[in-house]
Amino acid sequence: MRLTHKVVLLAMTPLIAAMSLIAVAQRHQEELLAKRQQALVKRAYLDAARSELRHFVALALSTISPLYNTGRDDDEIKRQVMRQLAALDYGSDGYFFLYNDEGVNLMHARQPELVGRNLTRLRDAYGQFPIQLMMDKAKAGGGFVDYSWHKPSSDADAAKVAYVTPLPRWHWWFGTGLYVDDVDQVLAQLDEELAASVNTTTRWIAGISVAGLLLIFGVGLWLNMHELRLADAKLTLLTRQLVSSQESERAYLARELHDGTGQTLVSVKLLAESALQRLNAAELGDERAIAARTALQRAVDRLRDALVEVRGMSHRLRPVMLDTLGLPAALAQMAQEMWGDSATRFTLRTDGAVEDLPEAIKTVLFRVTQEALANIEKHAAASRVELQLDYTPAGLQLRVQDNGRGFDTEFFQRHPSRGLGLRHMRERLAAIDGTLSISSHPGQTLLLANVPKAVITRFSRQEPHANRQP
C-alpha cells in the first residue's frame, strides 16, 4: 500500500469511528431525553388535571352545601342534590357521578342506564374494580383514583383520573373525573417531533461525516496526483540527465577516437608508408627485403582499414556534422553512409525556415532518426525512404516514411521483449516533451516525431546560445 493511501486511511478511520460514536451517543442521549420529557409532561399534565378536579369537586360541594347542611334527610332534598350534581356540566366528557356506600349508582349524567345498579364488581380495561377503589377512597376521606372508563365523546374506553369525596351523613360519595388519554396523544406527537429531530441530527452527522471523508479523500487524491506529477517530473529530468550524460560520454569517446586514436593511427600509417617508400627506393632484391615490403604493405592496408573503422565509430557515436553543420546535414550524411552504395533510394526534404535548435532537441531527433533508419535497413526491405523536416510556427515535425513490408504496431507495443527500439524512441521524445506516432501497413510505414514550439523555446533558454546549429 502506498504511503499516501496509508495516510488517507489513517485519517479516515478515526473520523468514521468518531462520527459513529457521536451518532450512537447522540441517539442514546435523545432517547433518554425523550423518556424524561414524557415523564415530565405526563406528570405535569396529571398534576394540572388533579388540581382542576379538586377545584371542580370544591365547586360542587359549595353548590350542594346549602341543601346538604339543612339537616334534612328526606328524599326530596336528596333528589334536589342529585339534580344539582347532574346539572354541573363542563363539556361532553365532564360530568359528576353519585354512589352510595354499597356501590350502587344513584346518578350518572352521561350513562343513565347504570343508575340503580351495584357496580362494585365492574372491571375496567386494566382489570381493576374502579367503583370499589373509589368507594374505598371516599370512605377514607376522599382522594384520587386512576382507572379506565367509557368516554362519551369517542364512545370508547379511555384512561381517566377521578377525585371523590364522601357525604357521610347520607352514606353517599360523589366525584368527577378527567380523561387523560389526550396526554398520550401529546406524548405521541412529542415522540414524532423528537424522532424527526433525531433523524435530522443524524442526517447532519452523516452529511458532515461524508463531507469530511470526501475532503480527506480529495486531499489524499490531490496529494497522490501531486506526488505522481513530481515523480513524473523527476523521472523526466532524470531521463534527460541520463540522455545528456550518454551523449556527453558519446561525444567524449568520439573526440578521443577522432583526435586521439585516429591521429595516432594516421601517424603510424604515415611512418609505415614512409618506410615502405624507402624500401622501394632502395630496390633491394633479396628475400628479406621482399618480405619486409610485403609486411609493411600489409600493415599499411590494415592501418587504412582501422582508420576507416575508427572514423565510422566516431561518427556513429557523435557525428561531427551535428555540431558543426546542424541536424539536416547530419541526417543526410547518416543516410548516405547507410545507403550510399545500395539500391535503396533516399530523399531528404526540409520545409519552412530552418531554426536554431537547442543541443538536446537536435540530439534526440538525430537518435530517433538513427533508430528508425536502422530498423528500416534491418527489417523493412524498402526500396524508397523519405525523410522530411518541417519547421512550422507550431514547432518541428520529423517524418520518416518507407515503402517496406510494414509491421504490427499494436503487437510490438504490447510485447514485453519486442519493439525496444520503438520504446526507446518514445522515451527519448517524452524526455523533451515531444510525441511520437507510428502507422504501418504493407507498403507504407510512417513515423512522425513532433516537438512543440514551446519546448524548443524552453530548451533554447536553458542552453547557451553559442555554437548552436539548426
Side-chain angles (χ1 to χ4, degrees), residues 3-119:
L3 178 60
T4 306
H5 297 164
K6 292 181 180 179
V7 172
V8 172
L9 183 62
L10 184 63
M12 292 175 66
T13 302
L15 178 62
I16 294 174
M19 288 299 181
S20 300
L21 290 176
I22 290 174
V24 172
Q26 178 258 346
R27 184 169 290 274
H28 177 67
Q29 290 298 322
E30 290 190 352
E31 288 178 355
L32 293 178
L33 177 63
K35 293 179 180 178
R36 293 172 184 171
Q37 187 178 12
Q38 288 178 356
L40 289 173
V41 170
K42 192 170 185 178
R43 184 166 59 250
Y45 187 87
L46 292 177
D47 289 343
R50 289 187 176 99
S51 176
E52 192 172 4
L53 288 174
R54 284 179 180 273
H55 174 72
F56 288 156
V57 170
L59 180 63
L61 282 174
S62 65
T63 301
I64 65 173
S65 290
L67 298 175
Y68 182 73
N69 293 330
T70 58
R72 294 172 52 187
D73 296 325
D74 56 277
D75 293 339
E76 180 59 28
I77 199 68
K78 289 180 180 180
R79 281 193 295 271
Q80 291 182 23
V81 169
M82 290 181 188
R83 284 195 295 269
Q84 287 187 355
L85 287 175
L88 293 175
D89 194 325
Y90 51 94
S92 61
D93 297 324
Y95 57 88
F96 282 87
F97 47 81
L98 178 65
Y99 289 83
N100 63 19
D101 288 346
E102 284 78 26
V104 177
N105 185 276
L106 301 178
M107 183 275 300
H108 199 290
R110 297 292 185 272
Q111 293 176 281
E113 69 275 8
L114 299 179
V115 176
R117 293 174 55 186
N118 189 316
L119 303 178

